[in-house]
Amino acid sequence: MERYYQEEIECASREEIKALQDERLVKQVKHVWDNVPYYRKKMEEKGVTPEDIKGTEDLHRLPFLSKADLRDAYPYGLLAVPLKDCVRIQSTSGTTGKRVVAFYTQEDIDLWEDCCARAIMAAGGTDEDVCQVSYGYGLFTGGPGLNGGSHKVGCLTIPTSSGNTERQIMFIQDLQATILCCTPSYAAYIGETMKEMGLTPDEIPLKAGIFGAEAWSEEMRRDIEQTLGIKAYDIYGLTELSGPGVSFECSAQQGMHINEDHFIAEIIDPDTEEVLPEGSQGELVFTAITKKAFPMMRYRTRDICVLTREQCSCGRTHVRMRKPKGRSDDMLIIRGVNVFPSQIETVLMNQGYAANYQIIIDRVNHTDTFDVQVEMTPEMFTDNMGEIAERQKALVEGMRSMLGISPKVSLVAPKSIARSEGKAVRVIDKRKI
Amino acid sequence: MALKQISVFLENKPGTLSEMTGALAAANIDMRALSLAETKDFGIARLIADDVYKASNALKDAGFVNSLTSVVGAMIPDEPGGLDKLLKIFHEANINLEYMYAFLGGDSVDHAYMIFRVGKEMEKEADAVLAAHGIRVLTQEDVNQI
């Protein structure tokens, strides 16, 4: 039976959702115009005033915000309430060198935690569950978000944060954790460690996992589900918009429901910036309509995906987004070709390898070098050198047909690629451009 | 009875081999024979040891992917033509060798030991052919006592 945290809104009719969005958007535009000179200036440059925005159909008239704006306005330029009304900041990992600092009022945190609670209940969580939150706590939104959501559902919450994998496993076993929240790469690592300890899926009390904060493939999902004996749910979010819980998977696992009472989603053509009709692939853009402290307007996520409002079998009516292929931040351009690390992962898993790999790119004599290091596994090892060379060749061929360019594949010792307790480091780009 | 050889995957970078021997030393493993095969990117160390299973587990615990491979061991006289005689026997029996390596050691001063990898389906035949020619085929116990 499907359970909802806030059924009345999660299963509201499309008309009700539209009416709510219209009302909240109008209010939010006024709030931002009055309190964020940075955005007001952008609106003025476009010749738009709050009076022009009467509902979601006028959304396209508003200017965009991008990561570059966040950098320009750092740290307070997009703040919409007095600092004394803020109770928290969270910040991005800064892996791309552009740290984002987001502010929250108490109400903002409350609504964010509601979104996470919806995700936990959609994964089957109730107040009878023991929920282990192995996302990092601290500036990263993963730990605090799911922690708050877990409290709201009434789960017994184990705030392990990430790291110390043996202790993670001890808690899962001793306290009979039923739900695990962490990044998919950390879930895979926990699974790998459990397997090494000789634990079979039947001996692991977990039944569900909520994994997000990085792109992961369907193959990786199946792998984690098998090793841990769970159902694995995807969760999506950005620090700029609150954190995890912007959208989440339900039991149908046919895309992630966007919490439309808080976020309006659009798909645009990333080049022309034109809004595309439902069902088209394009860049995901969000407008936060309830956040008070840090209200992102038409924020360009750089995530490429597709939206659908088709009725979902879980009963929720909120629009679903397909799993993004990967953050465009994750996207590499190698010899002019777009490469997502998740594509490499798909090839590895299809050929029976674990998703322990690293992509190393460099530029030698004006040409990109593209090396993929793959960890040798006992299953793939044989005493026959010719056979190993064949397998290496098969990996190169698999990647060539997936990407259109051929990497050099090296087989490296097991465990030689550093394991991650948060977001995995998949790419080392040594190019100086 | 075929011998068990340990085949170890080695990444091609400085220090890998010494890490491997370190793991074996720590587990108090006495190696009888060792052979290395390499490509540009990786290598395989093949070794015969006194306690195969202990050695394999010690390597696994140290993070080395390894597997056990059946090989044929034979004792030959350490004199000109010793190996030649043996290979002629294989040739006549039409037995194909994938690789081989030799070792000397123990108390035996006039014998050498050869380790052969023959195609899997040929193992029994190799044993039989050698025995028919009066050549001593090594067992794991023999190896332990060398």
Side-chain angles (χ1 to χ4, degrees):
Chain A
M1 200 200 68
E2 195 71 31
R3 295 192 188 88
Y4 314 96
Y5 178 67
Q6 290 165 315
E7 186 171 356
E8 70 291 351
I9 181 66
E10 288 179 72
C11 301
S13 70
R14 290 305 313 171
E15 293 72 32
E16 285 170 310
I17 294 170
K18 163 96 173 59
L20 191 64
Q21 286 188 333
D22 287 344
E23 181 202 324
R24 288 180 172 176
L25 175 65
V26 169
K27 246 207 227 149
Q28 186 75 319
V29 170
K30 177 113 188 21
H31 170 61
V32 173
W33 173 271
D34 289 343
N35 296 294
V36 185
Y38 185 94
Y39 195 73
R40 180 180 179 143
K41 187 162 161 262
K42 279 192 166 248
M43 284 176 66
E44 283 167 347
E45 278 165 11
K46 259 198 123 186
V48 192
T49 64
E51 289 68 47
D52 296 324
I53 311 298
K54 300 191 173 65
T56 48
E57 57 281 357
D58 300 318
L59 188 60
H60 70 275
R61 304 184 59 180
L62 289 170
F64 292 104
L65 283 174
S66 68
K67 218 154 193 175
D69 290 305
L70 291 176
R71 202 174 43 217
D72 294 346
Y74 176 89
Y76 298 128
L78 292 167
L79 188 63
V81 299
L83 258 187
K84 71 170 181 56
D85 292 344
C86 296
V87 296
R88 169 106 59 91
I89 70 141
Q90 302 283 170
S91 180
T92 58
S93 46
T95 40
T96 48
K98 292 161 258 171
R99 195 171 275 280
V100 172
V101 173
F103 300 84
Y104 302 73
T105 63
Q106 184 55 52
E107 194 196 348
D108 291 340
I109 287 180
D110 217 35
L111 299 178
W112 171 29
E113 291 178 349
D114 281 345
C115 291
C116 292
R118 289 179 193 173
I120 292 171
M121 287 197 70
T126 69
D127 56 6
E128 312 243 337
D129 280 295
V130 176
C131 179
Q132 183 155 319
V133 182
S134 311
Y135 276 113
Y137 280 64
L139 287 171
F140 178 50
T141 53
L146 271 305
N147 188 88
S150 175
H151 280 207
K152 288 210 166 188
V153 173
C155 301
L156 172 60
T157 310
I158 314 178
T160 47
S161 191
S162 59
N164 198 340
T165 307
E166 263 150 41
R167 191 182 61 191
Q168 302 275 1
I169 295 170
M170 184 199 84
F171 276 123
I172 290 172
Q173 287 198 290
D174 294 355
L175 301 181
Q176 294 287 299
T178 49
I179 300 175
L180 175 67
C181 307
C182 60
T183 59
S185 52
Y186 195 42
Y189 182 52
I190 292 176
E192 190 184 337
T193 310
M194 284 179 149
K195 209 165 155 187
E196 271 172 21
M197 292 166 66
L199 292 172
T200 61
D202 305 345
E203 295 168 298
I204 302 169
L206 294 171
K207 63 175 192 191
I210 301 172
F211 307 130
E214 60 187 10
W216 50 311
S217 60
E218 277 306 315
E219 290 77 11
M220 187 164 180
R221 186 210 299 265
R222 280 197 292 276
D223 207 48
I224 294 172
E225 287 187 333
Q226 267 173 18
T227 327
L228 292 175
I230 59 171
K231 194 161 174 182
Y233 296 85
D234 204 353
I235 185 166
Y236 172 91
L238 302 113
T239 306
E240 296 88 316
L241 294 168
S242 60
V246 170
S247 67
F248 59 87
E249 257 179 358
C250 60
S251 57
Q253 296 193 318
Q254 297 286 320
M256 293 178 275
H257 290 282
I258 294 169
N259 285 308
E260 283 189 284
D261 49 333
H262 301 300
F263 307 102
I264 303 177
E266 298 169 277
I267 291 286
I268 63 162
D269 179 324
D271 298 320
T272 65
E273 299 191 334
E274 240 167 274
V275 179
L276 300 175
E278 187 182 319
S280 324
Q281 175 167 296
E283 181 181 343
L284 190 55
V285 171
F286 280 112
T287 300
I289 47 177
T290 49
K291 282 183 66 185
K292 284 286 168 282
F294 203 65
M296 285 290 112
M297 308 303 288
R298 298 197 86 198
Y299 181 66
R300 293 185 60 166
T301 63
R302 302 167 77 187
D303 283 337
I304 304 296
C305 80
V306 177
L307 297 181
T308 173
R309 289 202 169 74
E310 241 169 69
Q311 178 63 46
C312 181
S313 62
C314 78
R316 288 178 186 79
T317 48
H318 291 209
V319 66
R320 277 170 293 154
M321 57 184 269
R322 203 182 283 165
K323 189 193 263 301
K325 264 202 213 155
R327 290 273 156 90
S328 47
D329 290 356
D330 294 338
M331 191 186 78
L332 301 161
I333 300 177
I334 305 171
R335 293 175 213 151
V337 176
N338 295 352
V339 174
F340 286 99
S342 58
Q343 294 173 300
I344 305 274
E345 186 179 302
T346 300
V347 174
L348 289 178
M349 307 215 50
N350 282 343
Q351 297 194 17
Y353 292 87
N356 296 322
Y357 65 97
Q358 201 156 46
I359 301 167
I360 300 163
I361 314 156
D362 204 345
R363 184 159 287 183
V364 179
N365 298 329
H366 307 294
T367 307
D368 292 337
T369 60
F370 176 22
D371 293 342
V372 180
Q373 294 193 331
V374 179
E375 281 186 8
M376 184 49 113
T377 62
E379 294 77 33
M380 302 307 289
F381 179 63
T382 144
D383 176 56
N384 187 321
M385 297 211 102
E387 249 172 71
I388 299 182
E390 283 302 312
R391 288 174 188 179
Q392 217 171 348
K393 240 174 86 201
L395 280 175
V396 172
E397 182 47 35
M399 291 179 197
R400 192 201 58 75
S401 70
M402 170 79 77
L403 308 169
I405 54 170
S406 299
K408 176 176 174 288
V409 171
S410 329
L411 299 170
V412 299
K415 303 267 163 96
S416 61
I417 295 171
R419 293 299 189 271
S420 142
E421 289 159 353
K423 295 194 189 200
V425 180
R426 297 299 191 201
V427 180
I428 297 176
D429 194 340
K430 298 177 179 167
R431 291 177 295 190
K432 291 182 188 73
I433 302 170
Chain B
M1 251 313 274
L3 285 179
K4 288 289 179 206
Q5 162 198 276
I6 308 170
S7 309
V8 190
F9 176 80
L10 298 175
E11 190 183 335
N12 189 5
K13 68 175 184 202
T16 310
L17 204 51
S18 105
E19 268 171 44
M20 181 190 84
T21 52
L24 292 169
N28 206 24
I29 300 293
D30 197 354
M31 276 189 278
R32 294 288 181 255
L34 172 68
S35 147
L36 278 176
E38 88 291 336
T39 67
K40 216 167 86 230
D41 300 329
F42 67 91
I44 296 178
R46 295 170 173 136
L47 53 106
I48 304 288
D50 57 347
D51 190 334
V52 179
Y53 295 97
K54 190 172 159 200
S56 174
N57 283 331
L59 287 169
K60 186 173 165 245
D61 290 345
F64 285 95
V65 169
N66 68 91
S67 65
L68 297 182
T69 314
S70 300
V71 290
V72 177
M75 193 164 84
I76 57 168
D78 183 14
E79 62 185 27
L83 177 61
D84 184 51
K85 211 187 284 172
L86 188 77
L87 292 182
K88 283 212 167 73
I89 296 171
F90 281 141
H91 182 184
E92 277 159 20
N94 210 18
I95 289 171
N96 195 36
L97 301 181
E98 290 181 7
Y99 55 79
M100 66 175 192
Y101 49 102
F103 69 106
L104 297 160
D107 299 331
S108 164
V109 286
D110 52 355
H111 285 86
Y113 304 95
M114 294 302 304
I115 303 293
F116 299 98
R117 167 73 179 165
V118 298
K120 206 168 173 67
E121 61 286 355
M122 302 292 258
E123 260 165 39
K124 281 216 174 79
E125 214 178 319
D127 277 4
V129 160
L130 290 175
H133 284 81
I135 288 170
R136 172 103 177 271
V137 177
L138 296 178
T139 63
Q140 189 62 45
E141 286 78 60
D142 293 334
V143 168
N144 294 354
Q145 280 155 25
I146 290 167

